[in-house]
């Protein structure tokens, strides 16, 4: 039995039409799914996580060598998810300290975690730097601040987060947190001595959060 050339063309034409209908249907389905997710996102109105720097324990802070700083802190950071229907995946969180916009410690990674609706996480990482080079103008300012009995630092968190709505999880967003930490020394200190030569400062300082 022979197949006519025209029949072969009709057969391929039917498959093309079916494939075209399938692609159009898939695009329409994806479009409506995207609209549904965007509407749900707009109705739920996701809120950024809230961060508070609860305390800082200073184990070392030595700027006696010109243009170098050795420091060792333990910081306690409180994070709360204010959303009723959204969970938050913290895929990466790096904590470090800065002085006058210059990083003075190495980055410490906080283990990845998930934060459910209205849940709270508390982290207590150590951050430190040994003989970290400090810009000459910052070294001078640091010596002046120490002489006056108070140093203003910034504890920062740099990371990546994802939002979870039911079974849907978003892509990764950049999380940037800044927490002011006012450290007093000498007779002006407001800290509590703990252990060997360590001073703990109860701050309960609200942090700024950018996502």
């Amino acid at each position: 039995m022979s197949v006519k050339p025209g029949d072969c063309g009709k057969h391929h034409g039917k498959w093309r039409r079916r494939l075209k209908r399938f692609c159009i249907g898939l695009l329409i389905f994806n479009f409506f799914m995207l609209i549904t997710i965007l509407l749900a996102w707009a109705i739920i109105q996701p809120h950024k996580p809230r961060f508070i720097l609860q305390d800082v324990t200073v184990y070392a802070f030595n700027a006696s060598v010109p243009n170098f700083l050795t420091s060792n802190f333990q910081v306690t950071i409180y994070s709360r998810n204010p959303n009723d229907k959204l969970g938050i995946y913290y895929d990466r969180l790096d904590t470090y300290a800065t002085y006058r916009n210059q990083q003075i410690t190495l980055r410490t990674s906080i283990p990845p975690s998930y934060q459910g609706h209205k849940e709270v996480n508390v982290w207590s990482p150590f951050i430190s730097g040994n003989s970290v080079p400090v810009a000459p103008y910052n070294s001078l300012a640091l010596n002046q601040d120490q002489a006056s009995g108070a140093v203003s630092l910034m504890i920062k968190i740099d990371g990546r987060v994802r939002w979870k709505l039911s079974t849907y999880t978003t892509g990764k967003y950049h999380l940037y947190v800044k927490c002011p930490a006012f450290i007093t020394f000498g007779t002006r200190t407001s800290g509590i001595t703990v252990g060997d030569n360590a001073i703990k400062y109860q701050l309960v300082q609200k942090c700024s959060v950018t996502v």
Side-chain angles (χ1 to χ4, degrees):
M1 182 178 176
S2 62
V3 179
K4 296 180 180 180
D7 293 339
C8 186
K10 289 179 182 177
H11 179 73
H12 286 296
K14 287 179 181 178
W15 275 106
R16 285 196 208 96
R17 286 193 294 272
R18 288 176 182 174
L19 181 61
K20 186 177 180 181
R21 288 195 210 102
F22 174 77
C23 291
I24 292 173
L26 186 62
L27 287 173
I28 292 173
F29 174 78
N30 288 338
F31 174 76
F32 280 108
M33 281 293 295
L34 180 61
I35 292 297
T36 302
I37 291 170
L38 290 175
L39 285 174
W41 195 260
I43 292 170
I44 293 173
Q45 294 182 342
H47 297 283
K48 297 179 292 186
R50 294 170 184 167
F51 281 76
I52 292 175
L53 179 62
Q54 292 187 325
D55 58 64
V56 174
T57 302
V58 180
Y59 290 90
F61 196 82
N62 186 351
S64 59
V65 179
N67 301 329
F68 288 92
L69 172 64
T70 294
S71 59
N72 186 9
F73 310 100
Q74 184 179 22
V75 297
T76 302
I77 300 165
Y78 164 103
S79 170
R80 180 176 181 270
N81 177 7
N83 297 285
D84 291 317
K85 299 179 177 64
L86 290 173
I88 303 175
Y89 284 105
Y90 294 98
D91 292 325
R92 180 178 65 80
L93 293 174
D94 293 332
T95 310
Y96 57 99
T98 64
Y99 174 75
R100 293 178 177 256
N101 295 320
Q102 181 177 359
Q103 186 172 333
I104 59 172
T105 69
L106 300 175
R107 291 175 175 238
T108 297
S109 294
I110 295 173
S113 62
Y114 174 75
Q115 193 174 55
H117 318 148
K118 299 289 186 179
E119 284 187 355
V120 169
N121 288 0
V122 178
W123 301 291
S124 296
F126 283 88
I127 52 176
S128 62
N130 186 28
S131 296
V132 176
V134 179
Y137 54 87
N138 276 345
S139 180
L140 178 62
L142 186 58
N143 288 330
Q144 291 174 345
D145 288 347
Q146 278 195 291
S148 65
V151 175
S152 182
L153 304 177
M154 190 72 71
I155 307 300
K156 295 184 178 182
I157 300 174
D158 186 13
R160 292 288 185 274
V161 296
R162 289 176 294 153
W163 307 90
K164 184 176 184 295
L165 172 60
S166 184
T167 58
Y168 172 74
T169 303
T170 69
K172 293 184 180 182
Y173 288 82
H174 184 199
L175 175 73
Y176 192 53
V177 182
K178 296 195 299 183
C179 308
F182 192 68
I183 308 300
T184 53
F185 295 94
T187 57
R188 290 189 55 189
T189 184
S190 58
I192 302 170
T193 301
V194 292
D196 296 330
N197 300 320
I199 300 178
K200 185 173 185 176
Y201 298 88
Q202 296 286 354
L203 301 176
V204 192
Q205 176 65 52
K206 185 177 180 181
C207 308
S208 67
V209 180
T210 303
V211 178

